[in-house]
Amino acid sequence: MTKTAAIIGGGVIGGGWAARFLFNGWNVKLFDPDPEAERKIGEVLANARRTLPMLYDRALPPEGRLTHVATIAEAVSDVDWIQESVPERLDLKHRVYAEIETAAAPDTLVGSSTSGFKPSELRAGSIHPERLFVAHPFNPVYLLPVIELVGAPDAASAPLRAVGLYPLTVRKEIDAHIADRLLEAVWRESLWLVKDGIATTEEIDDAIRYGFGLRWAQMGLFETYRIAGGEAGMKHFMAQFGPALEWPWTKLMDVPEFTQELVDLIADQSDAQSGHLTIRELERMRDDNLVAMMRALKARDAAAGKLITEHEATLSAPTAENAPLTTVDRIVPIDWTDYNGHMNESRFGQAFSDAADAVMVAVGADADYVASGLSYFTVDIRIRFLDEAKAGERICVKSQILDGTGKKLRLFHRMLNAAGEEMATAEQLLIHVSLETRRACDPDAPLQLRLKQLTQAHAAMPQPAEKERL
């Protein structure tokens, strides 16, 4: 049964929440009194629709249904999750919660996107305070996985994990939770560096994106510093750099006066840095870079990439109907494209290689079979390029078994776009081998039987024309 989320507040964060739920198959009811809400949400969803599926090597579930509603009561009625993302005003949040409680079932979970308020502050005056908690995300919610949970019941984690998020439980409630307290420290010191003329906004950003930001993206703070301690580890690092904490390196407890002059200085420098780009262009650049970095981490099964792999395993594999086999169904990711703005020819090979792997699973040469010491090696593949594929485009590969007798497995693949038009074809010859001797050998009896059945079924299909087979 399809689940439904209510999103109260459709700004940048609320729109990101809507995208995260929608593109993982949930229906969403969204309330936002802003007359421009539909346009703004539509633009956020367009970015997310393009980039979120790029993280995965399987297709996400069919997109859920988005409904814009006129009242909070209509939004929260008969839903599985409520996410409040209204502006950071406690009085406004309390008014919103009061409306939620008049219409929502008493056991429906209510998460708040607040970046600073504690659950005890949010719950003041609530009839059912136990179901209201902090679920603080990071922008863009549809790509960045961490959600800070404060005061949340155990039941809150499973729905978040199901849509690819990472619930991080904050052990005790505190103003600004964990991450924003760290960000505030960096932000405060950055304001001083600009105000005192030490660095411009761009130079500070350069220090982060070309330096420690890259380390933080995959190791965080403490693992990074553990390495800095060398073979002696963290104790050596603490002994070596601990005394520096007493030096006047930072002004973390000293806030610069927030004058109009400081505001103008920072705004002018920011305009000089990136004012030539629109917000949507900056968002697209950010999303493409995040996808590329997170997919790189996915290939290493590390950090946020490991989380994508775990979530991907819960997604449905391509269907394996008999004739032909659907072996690939996915979105072209940004890191598969080249300087021509389309999918590089090597990535066509990647897609067809993935298709062959899916055929192997379909015939019984799965991970357990390979672990037993038997597998298939590709000895020849011939690809015919018919049309270009661009980032964000959906591709599907249909695979046909041409010959499955003896040691040979000859396949023919057709890559199709969303309209069903051919983009490429490939003929591939694989040989069954012993991984111990690295020599050709016959498949085991169950695999030979399954191959015989599929080969017969595929023989009834139209065979590829000679011109297709090169």
Side-chain angles (χ1 to χ4, degrees), residues 57 295 298-299 327-328 330 333 335-336 343-358 381 383 385 395 397 413 415 426 428:
D57 296 322
R295 282 185 57 79
K298 181 174 183 283
T327 49
V328 172
R330 61 164 307 148
D335 58 305
W336 278 23
M343 192 163 84
N344 181 272
E345 63 268 21
S346 67
R347 295 303 189 172
F348 280 84
Q350 174 74 57
F352 290 130
S353 176
D354 292 344
D357 287 347
I381 185 166
I383 299 175
F385 302 98
I395 58 173
V397 176
H413 309 287
M415 182 183 293
Q428 185 176 13

Side-chain angles (χ1 to χ4, degrees), residues 356-378:
D357 287 347
V359 173
M360 286 177 57
V361 171
V363 302
D366 55 14
D368 290 339
Y369 188 83
V370 174
S372 76
L374 300 173
S375 188
Y376 279 96
F377 286 1
T378 297

Side-chain angles (χ1 to χ4, degrees), residues 395-435:
I395 58 173
C396 176
V397 176
K398 302 286 187 178
S399 300
Q400 181 178 1
I401 300 174
L402 302 181
D403 184 7
T405 58
K407 305 177 181 69
K408 294 181 180 179
L409 178 58
R410 189 180 297 276
L411 308 175
F412 192 80
H413 309 287
R414 298 181 188 275
M415 182 183 293
L416 310 174
N417 62 18
E421 301 164 334
E422 281 193 357
M423 311 178 78
T425 63
E427 186 174 0
Q428 185 176 13
L429 175 63
L430 301 94
I431 298 296
H432 190 271
V433 299
S434 162
L435 293 177

Side-chain angles (χ1 to χ4, degrees), residues 12-268:
V12 171
I13 297 300
W17 273 110
R20 176 64 78 161
F21 282 116
L22 281 170
F23 301 138
N24 278 281
W26 286 50
N27 292 330
V28 169
K29 294 195 288 183
L30 189 144
F31 169 78
D32 192 313
D34 182 355
E36 293 290 306
E38 288 198 39
R39 176 188 64 80
K40 293 176 181 177
I41 287 290
E43 291 175 353
V44 173
L45 294 181
N47 282 342
R49 189 177 286 111
R50 174 179 177 271
T51 51
L52 175 60
M54 291 185 188
L55 292 175
Y56 298 93
D57 296 322
R58 291 184 181 178
L60 289 170
E63 183 175 326
R65 182 180 68 256
L66 172 64
T67 305
H68 290 268
V69 297
T71 65
I72 290 177
E74 188 178 355
V76 303
S77 175
D78 194 24
V79 298
D80 301 282
W81 183 283
I82 301 168
Q83 188 68 29
E84 169 272 306
S85 299
V86 303
E88 289 287 88
R89 286 173 34 212
L90 194 55
D91 62 328
L92 174 61
K93 291 181 182 292
H94 284 159
R95 290 200 300 273
V96 167
Y97 299 149
E99 290 193 53
I100 289 173
E101 291 197 305
T102 62
D107 58 346
T108 305
L109 298 175
V110 183
S112 173
S113 298
T114 180
S115 58
F117 293 124
K118 300 187 292 289
S120 58
E121 296 171 310
L122 300 175
R123 291 167 174 168
S126 290
I127 301 172
H128 301 286
E130 69 284 349
R131 51 91 169 263
L132 173 59
F133 54 93
V134 170
H136 174 235
F138 288 83
N139 188 31
V141 187
Y142 52 81
L143 290 181
L144 296 183
V146 72
I147 302 294
E148 292 181 309
L149 292 183
V150 192
D154 293 340
S157 292
L160 296 174
R161 291 189 183 277
V163 296
L165 293 167
Y166 180 78
L168 177 64
T169 299
V170 181
R171 295 171 180 270
K172 298 179 180 180
E173 69 168 32
I174 187 173
D175 292 329
H177 324 315
I178 297 174
D180 274 351
R181 293 179 74 89
L182 298 173
L183 289 173
E184 172 68 16
V186 175
W187 170 244
R188 187 174 300 186
E189 189 64 24
S190 297
L191 292 179
W192 276 116
L193 291 171
V194 173
K195 183 178 185 301
D196 292 345
I198 306 300
T200 65
T201 58
E202 184 170 13
E203 289 162 353
I204 292 170
D205 285 349
D206 286 346
I208 296 171
R209 60 188 168 205
Y210 299 140
F212 62 86
L214 292 171
R215 298 186 306 195
W216 284 7
Q218 43 90 34
M219 295 197 85
L221 178 65
F222 284 96
E223 276 194 333
T224 295
Y225 282 163
R226 179 180 180 84
I227 292 174
E231 293 182 359
M234 182 60 86
K235 283 188 176 181
H236 177 66
F237 173 81
M238 295 292 287
Q240 186 174 9
F241 293 98
L245 297 176
E246 299 180 2
W247 301 344
W249 277 7
T250 64
K251 298 182 178 181
L252 293 185
M253 301 308 295
D254 187 10
V255 184
E257 186 179 357
F258 213 66
T259 64
Q260 189 61 48
E261 181 181 10
L262 178 59
V263 171
D264 291 342
L265 176 63
I266 290 175
D268 290 345

